[in-house]
Amino acid sequence: MKDYIKIDEWKIIEDGFNSAHNKISESIFSLGNGRMGQRANFEEAYSGETLQGNYVAGVYYNDKTRVGWWKNGYPEYFSKVLNAANWVGIDVAIDGEQLDLAKCAVSNFRRELNMKEGYLKRNFTAKNNSGKQVEVEAIRFCSMADDEAGAIKYTITPLNFDGALTVTPFIDGDVVNQDANYDEKFWDEVAKGCDDNDCYIQMRTKKTGFDVATGMQFSILQNGQAIETAHEIIQKEKYIGAKITLQAQKGQPITVFKYAANLSSQNHKVEDLIINLKATLDRVSKKGFDTMLAEQAAAWEEKWKHNDIIIEGDPSAQQAIRFNIFQLNQTYTGEDDRLNIGPKGFTGEKYGGVTYWDTEAYCVPFYLSTAEQKVTKNLLLYRYKQLEQAYQNAGMLGFGNGAALYPMVSINGIECHNEWEITFEELHRNGAIAYAIFNYVRYTGDADYLVDYGLEVLIGIARFWRYRVSWSAEKEKYVMLGITGPNEYENNINNNWYTNTLATWCMQYAMEVMEKVKAIDADKYAKLIAKLNFNEEQETGKFTHIIDNMYYPYDERNQVFLQQDGYLDKEQILVKDLPASDRPLNQKWSWDRILRSCFIKQADVLQGIYFFEDKYDIDTIRRNFDFYEPRTVHESSLSPCLHAILAAKLGDEARAYEFYLRTARLDLDDYNNDTEDGCHITSMAGTWMAVVEGFGGMRMRDDKLSFKPFLPGKWASFSFHVGFRDSLLNVRVSKEQIAIKNLSGIETTVLVHDKTYLVKANSEVVI
Amino acid sequence: MKDYIKIDEWKIIEDGFNSAHNKISESIFSLGNGRMGQRANFEEAYSGETLQGNYVAGVYYNDKTRVGWWKNGYPEYFSKVLNAANWVGIDVAIDGEQLDLAKCAVSNFRRELNMKEGYLKRNFTAKNNSGKQVEVEAIRFCSMADDEAGAIKYTITPLNFDGALTVTPFIDGDVVNQDANYDEKFWDEVAKGCDDNDCYIQMRTKKTGFDVATGMQFSILQNGQAIETAHEIIQKEKYIGAKITLQAQKGQPITVFKYAANLSSQNHKVEDLIINLKATLDRVSKKGFDTMLAEQAAAWEEKWKHNDIIIEGDPSAQQAIRFNIFQLNQTYTGEDDRLNIGPKGFTGEKYGGVTYWDTEAYCVPFYLSTAEQKVTKNLLLYRYKQLEQAYQNAGMLGFGNGAALYPMVSINGIECHNEWEITFEELHRNGAIAYAIFNYVRYTGDADYLVDYGLEVLIGIARFWRYRVSWSAEKEKYVMLGITGPNEYENNINNNWYTNTLATWCMQYAMEVMEKVKAIDADKYAKLIAKLNFNEEQETGKFTHIIDNMYYPYDERNQVFLQQDGYLDKEQILVKDLPASDRPLNQKWSWDRILRSCFIKQADVLQGIYFFEDKYDIDTIRRNFDFYEPRTVHESSLSPCLHAILAAKLGDEARAYEFYLRTARLDLDDYNNDTEDGCHITSMAGTWMAVVEGFGGMRMRDDKLSFKPFLPGKWASFSFHVGFRDSLLNVRVSKEQIAIKNLSGIETTVLVHDKTYLVKANSEVVI
């Protein structure tokens, strides 16, 4: 836990240079525009601790699997979004001495992430070994308006000398992933070159063959005047730079504008990459930095209009929630159904930048309410397009006949994870994919999605569960053996209540959707089941038999759903009785000790209750919450938010707020000592959920939005925006009232504390 | 399955060269003398498929752990017996063209492993690309009489040319382990040199700092006459050779005698290594090859006198059983309590050459009956001396207070294995260590061992179990959660019947031994419990409470012990109903599918019944055998032998023989397609057990050997030797009779089919 980040409602601020925090700040101050992103590495050289990171969405490398002992069925490779060419670099030398903050006396250091307008600004004064002092200001951003481009304005002012100053803006493709399994380099150079003030490199990923052309164009101002100077081209392997030597004058600022672009063969023909790259560079540099920055601010203004949350009376909470919303929007914009959301977004390498069930369980609710419908639809289409691979994944585990198993971890749909207890057994992710379809259709009303895409996926998933359950002659019930639930502190268990519940729900929902699709378009339905070779009578008969005869572990004594068979054989100790020195368990205890304890990593039974809340009465929810939460160590960043929502539902406002606090500033305060690896992007969506579904009590009910808000005691008020179908609402909760403002031209009906209110176009209802 | 090995009662023969079999033959024809060993690599260069392997017992490297995902508690390194300097190499060149069987026309190729006399002989004729033909005979062995030395006699006869022939005997320390985790080299060169006909290299292992000096001395005969020729010393990094150029004459044999020695800093002061090495080389070369070979034959004659098994009427079985006995004796001679038995012995790298529970469960019975008492005692002392590390291992899992956990895999006592489900959960190995003490004392009557060593180990083990069980409020019994049993096709299960049974037995036995030790030497007992801080009343009280309240899963319907909680929730399919295309499961099924199936890798409940046979009536044994065996896929080479013994006990002679056959020729016939990695040394002890305990029905009963022999139908007779206390018996079972001959001067009483017979010194009882 650190608290060096200054509080500000719209900015993230680091004031003063502490090299020990540098990797943390590199994560926190990361930039992205959905198409590309980068850690907040310095433009100039830095020989201190740093994790260099530049990423291009959807461009990955298949890193050969590394395991201790091979198990049959393990994937061949782990796909990783790989560190791509560094385009932010500008080497600076003063009289031949390289500017490097690790080797200078640094003062007036300040980093600011301006979330309102979407840029990063850094200021510092540095005195080098020769006593020469410069003042630097660097502003940069990844453009939301031109999502293949970014720009930097880098201004150096000599404070106490006249003399030679060289600046070398460069593109460096000779980068590595720190998490490479075998210390390989992942890129080959294809081409590089320069003309005029353009430099570019075209790199190609090994194995996967993505080409990415990265280029720059630069211009120089001295003392406010554009200057033309000769530059020397520096070429090394996978590197190209332009060295410009200037005569610096004391007090006269020198400004380097560096316009950069990343074009990938996903979006351009390989043979056009360089041409299109140059055109992009020409176009954006003609706009110029200030215009680009204004467009950036405008793009962010538009975003904030739809998704800002305002918290009055608590600037720290205000900063945190905006930071979470900002990072989510930097990570995924929903323009491209081939892209998804890595747990670290563009802020680090960890988890390979690839897709987990976090997307469906945590990010979908966020994007459903804060972005256009197509954004979530694209997240769903991403999975739809990977259905073939889901059949393959199921095949790896011995299932055919159209059974589909979505991967635990993947970018191309093929399972990448290589721990048997996760890869082969943490199957609930398959249900989350189905749940996201349900959630999307429930929220948007887009039943056509079911006809064109959803049902096909749902049938594959339902079939998987059908084959994965087995009949227990002992129990005379269907059982599901060898499972890891969302609580990964249990492995290879039998009859995980959540997974069993989710499995039968998937079959049930698939059958409901069949009826719906039949009703909407009987022809398409007939074509689909023919294509899938779906024997409706026989297969739905089997689904029904499983639904009717599934085993769900239950504890009669406590009247709670039992997390899994045998859970009560464990010593029942509560988290509050654990010595502090044993926490976090995953750092202090050996794995077996964790496994045989009753302690729960994250919501498991409660995840099911959250998903299917309407099926359970409030007493059931309370009993399960009261039983499981005290056994939960919340060692996943995805855990507290669900508990916040459930605590809010149970009326325990204080605990709801307490759970919210655990993740709201997770990265800003480096709560888990791991922000240096990158930010917890997907759990940020959970924080948003804690506010909107927790404090706002927002649910879908009967095709309407329903709210049961309460105001955390520390706050004066909070308000949030939600888009719902074609309307845009602002919900403001203060001590005095709940105000629901319709910011759109379309009227809508909402429920507030179970009462119905019509909110007319462009008007407000105050309750 | 292959059958290229020719049948011979005393020899292993490969007739004709098939490069596809080379790595298999390299394993099968391996040599060793307990102190060092080697694969049957060629002396001359070979560019074909080969696994080079030379090993020095007890010399290992700590190879940094490699895992996919780190789990807390994983060991830092995996200790590996590492590939050591190659001392067998003799490069041969004919008119400058290197002799390499991969590049020649090879005829008359024959490899023979002479098991009676303990040497390897190879003959071939090779025609090189220039058409020059040579005939070669190579004989070599690792000396049992001089266990730091080996010798080679390598004879080349030019068949169709006169010309220059160079021979370069060399020592090559620049070797790698194919199974290195990070492609590191494990050795540094410390020194090398030559004088006269001596060459040596001293190498040091990285990290572990073992020094091994490897040297050679050579002499040459041409056409039967000793010749003195100049030689050129060839030095490269970690390599030294002596190149001798000869004028070869058609038809005149050239013989190179190469005497080699390996001295390790385990047995010599580092500063004396080279001096002692030279002295050894001088000594053995003075003896000369023929004398050394004669001593080798004599040493083996002595061994066979004590452990030969003679099978009449089945030469293939005869060859197989001798091969197993031969390899076991090459691997471990029991001279040194710092050494143990790797699953592959000196025949390959797999499993790191380190110690598993195989030693206690399979090898101890073999050495108890076939070698002097001290041999098994040294195996036990090996564990005794690693008790401190066993405390550390337990500490890694969170257990203190004198709890001892022996490692699953180790050479220095520190756990090396890095799969949580094995490392942390396959705990029954700890019971096998206790069982071996019980077995040793039962067989030898050496109760002093308990006083001086045994009890200390038993208390540590009993304490471990005490802390590892937990109280189930649900069952009102002690339970053991998160276990992997001997059947590794189940992971992280609860209440493995075998492990629960073994755990309470360990506590019970520890308490019995306490009483025994008290009776023998109350003083020593008092000192020991003071040293261990053992609170007798409190701790034995706890042991007793656990013993009295342990939960053992049981199936009332089938009246069988239940392998673990929930086993009957699995679909109960029998192995005979599995499609052949699904076998072996571990190559055809993904790991989760194996785990959730009912199929059993190797004896689990039946391992317990084997260990504690006397506790169960014959119907109980039969019911359990009949239930579990049909569900067992025997995908461990350690599985069939136990089933052979139990089938024999149940009177099912045909099946006993069938199980015996599955491993008897496992390596000779490359039954599992993995002999190229090395031979299954520890399962060879199981084969011996199948004959002696299965067909011979040998057991310990009331301090006597008891036999209930039967003769497999295909055999005319079989006989085996067993040493028992100070007597040596030969038991011969033929169609007509059972003859028990006492080859020693000490009379003994045996039971045969439950009847008592006195077998007088040097006489025979025929039944």
Side-chain angles (χ1 to χ4, degrees), chain B residues 61-343:
Chain B
Y61 176 76
N62 291 337
D63 200 11
K64 196 183 141 213
T65 298
R66 187 183 70 185
V67 294
W69 302 85
W70 191 264
K71 304 271 192 197
N72 207 32
Y74 274 166
E76 205 184 314
Y77 56 77
F78 193 109
S79 297
K80 287 177 179 167
V81 172
L82 68 183
N83 201 0
N86 167 14
W87 59 258
V88 308
I90 302 175
D91 254 342
V92 177
I94 302 162
D95 279 336
E97 186 180 342
Q98 191 177 47
L99 180 63
D100 174 347
L101 294 200
K103 296 176 178 164
C104 290
V106 181
S107 53
N108 304 320
F109 181 93
R110 185 179 171 95
R111 242 191 285 225
E112 268 187 26
L113 185 64
N114 185 315
M115 300 186 287
K116 189 168 190 177
E117 302 185 1
Y119 65 86
L120 170 64
K121 187 164 101 175
R122 186 168 55 106
N123 296 81
F124 62 85
T125 303
K127 183 156 81 180
N128 71 8
N129 285 329
S130 325
K132 298 202 170 79
Q133 241 182 336
V134 289
E135 193 179 82
V136 171
E137 178 174 272
I139 300 177
R140 78 171 190 247
F141 56 91
C142 293
S143 172
M144 282 281 182
D146 297 292
D147 68 1
E148 295 178 320
I152 306 172
K153 180 181 178 185
Y154 192 89
T155 303
I156 319 157
T157 309
L159 295 184
N160 63 350
F161 67 96
D162 297 343
L165 190 140
T166 61
V167 291
T168 312
F170 64 84
I171 307 287
D172 183 6
D174 193 18
V175 293
V176 293
N177 269 44
Q178 275 203 346
D179 72 343
N181 283 342
Y182 295 93
D183 290 333
E184 279 176 288
K185 293 197 172 178
F186 296 164
W187 294 97
D188 289 323
E189 181 183 307
V190 177
K192 66 180 167 220
C194 276
D195 19 57
D196 303 331
N197 288 4
D198 278 355
C199 292
Y200 62 87
I201 297 190
Q202 183 175 342
M203 306 286 295
R204 183 171 296 158
T205 58
K206 294 178 183 172
K207 295 191 201 173
T208 44
F210 291 102
D211 276 46
V212 175
T214 304
M216 65 172 182
Q217 204 173 95
F218 56 89
S219 60
I220 314 274
L221 291 186
Q222 187 160 18
N223 209 23
Q225 301 298 314
I227 55 168
E228 285 294 325
T229 57
H231 56 257
E232 178 194 351
I233 298 300
I234 315 284
Q235 299 208 32
K236 294 185 280 192
E237 198 197 341
K238 304 181 185 175
Y239 171 103
I240 191 157
K243 184 174 175 183
I244 303 142
T245 304
L246 299 153
Q247 284 308 314
Q249 305 288 324
K250 182 171 143 186
Q252 293 190 1
I254 291 168
T255 299
V256 181
F257 291 101
K258 183 178 181 186
Y259 303 96
N262 263 323
L263 271 62
S264 130
S265 58
Q266 293 181 102
N267 306 310
H268 300 268
K269 287 187 189 152
V270 172
E271 58 271 29
D272 297 342
L273 273 174
I274 300 294
I275 297 165
N276 294 355
L277 175 70
K278 288 181 184 174
T280 304
L281 289 170
D282 281 347
R283 185 166 54 73
V284 298
S285 63
K286 263 182 205 128
K287 277 189 193 175
F289 186 85
D290 293 340
T291 305
M292 285 182 77
L293 187 55
E295 289 178 359
Q296 176 79 344
W300 276 102
E301 189 182 3
E302 186 60 24
K303 290 219 177 272
W304 287 115
K305 208 187 281 174
H306 288 86
N307 60 31
D308 193 19
I309 292 182
I310 295 168
I311 297 171
E312 290 180 312
D314 188 346
S316 157
Q318 176 65 75
Q319 179 184 46
I321 192 70
R322 284 209 174 109
F323 178 68
N324 290 347
I325 296 168
F326 180 74
Q327 285 292 5
L328 284 160
N329 279 287
Q330 290 206 118
T331 303
Y332 185 73
T333 58
E335 300 296 324
D336 188 335
D337 65 18
R338 296 165 304 175
L339 303 183
N340 209 292
I341 303 155

Side-chain angles (χ1 to χ4, degrees), chain A residues 92-165:
Chain A
V92 177
I94 303 162
D95 277 335
E97 186 180 340
Q98 192 177 46
L99 180 64
D100 174 349
L101 293 200
K103 296 176 179 165
C104 289
V106 181
S107 54
N108 305 319
F109 182 94
R110 187 179 169 94
R111 243 190 285 224
E112 271 187 25
L113 185 64
N114 186 315
M115 299 186 288
K116 190 167 189 177
E117 302 184 359
Y119 65 85
L120 169 66
K121 186 165 100 174
R122 185 167 56 106
N123 296 80
F124 62 87
T125 304
K127 183 155 82 180
N128 71 9
N129 284 329
S130 324
K132 300 201 171 79
Q133 241 182 334
V134 289
E135 194 180 83
V136 172
E137 177 174 273
I139 300 176
R140 76 170 191 248
F141 56 90
C142 294
S143 172
M144 281 282 183
D146 297 291
D147 68 2
E148 295 177 320
I152 305 171
K153 179 181 179 186
Y154 192 88
T155 304
I156 318 157
T157 310
L159 295 185
N160 62 352
F161 66 96
D162 296 345
L165 191 140

Side-chain angles (χ1 to χ4, degrees), chain A residues 66-73 78 181-182 351 356 396-399 417-422 424-425 467-475 479 481-482 490-495 555 557 565-566 568-571 585-596, chain B residues 66-73 78 181-182 351 356 396-399 417-422 424-425 467-475 479 481-482 490-495 555 557 565-566 568-571 585-596:
Chain A
R66 189 183 69 185
V67 293
W69 301 86
W70 190 263
K71 304 270 193 197
N72 207 34
F78 193 110
N181 282 344
Y182 295 92
Y351 305 119
Y356 289 68
M396 288 286 280
L397 305 192
F399 300 103
H417 197 80
N418 55 340
E419 283 179 299
W420 62 265
E421 62 273 20
I422 308 279
F424 303 154
E425 299 204 340
Y467 294 115
R468 185 55 170 75
V469 301
S470 56
W471 180 255
S472 164
E474 183 83 355
K475 293 193 162 67
V479 292
L481 308 179
E490 302 278 357
N491 292 158
N492 194 41
I493 54 176
N494 294 336
N495 294 308
D555 173 36
R557 193 163 356 167
D565 281 352
L568 290 175
D569 274 335
K570 291 163 179 268
E571 284 186 283
L585 299 183
N586 65 21
Q587 288 170 29
K588 301 299 178 67
W589 283 11
S590 64
W591 187 244
D592 62 308
R593 192 173 175 192
I594 291 175
L595 290 180
R596 64 180 189 271
Chain B
R66 187 183 70 185
V67 294
W69 302 85
W70 191 264
K71 304 271 192 197
N72 207 32
F78 193 109
N181 283 342
Y182 295 93
Y351 305 119
Y356 289 67
M396 289 285 280
L397 305 193
F399 300 103
H417 197 81
N418 56 339
E419 284 178 300
W420 63 266
E421 62 273 21
I422 308 280
F424 303 153
E425 299 205 339
Y467 294 115
R468 185 56 171 75
V469 301
S470 55
W471 180 254
S472 164
E474 183 84 355
K475 293 192 162 69
V479 292
L481 309 178
E490 301 278 356
N491 292 158
N492 195 41
I493 54 176
N494 294 337
N495 294 307
D555 174 37
R557 192 165 356 170
D565 281 352
L568 290 175
D569 274 335
K570 292 163 179 268
E571 285 186 284
L585 300 183
N586 64 21
Q587 287 170 29
K588 302 298 177 66
W589 284 10
S590 64
W591 187 244
D592 63 307
R593 191 173 176 191
I594 290 175
L595 289 179
R596 65 180 190 270

Side-chain angles (χ1 to χ4, degrees), chain A residues 228 278 290 294 305 312 328 352 356 693:
Chain A
E228 286 293 328
K278 289 181 184 173
D290 292 340
K305 207 185 284 174
E312 289 180 311
L328 283 160
Y356 289 68
E693 300 185 13

Side-chain angles (χ1 to χ4, degrees), chain A residues 29 42 76 250 264 307 321 345 443 456 479 495 577 633 694 761:
Chain A
F29 291 82
F42 298 162
E76 206 184 313
K250 184 171 141 186
S264 128
N307 59 31
I321 193 69
Y443 199 93
E456 193 169 345
V479 292
N495 294 308
D577 297 324
V633 288

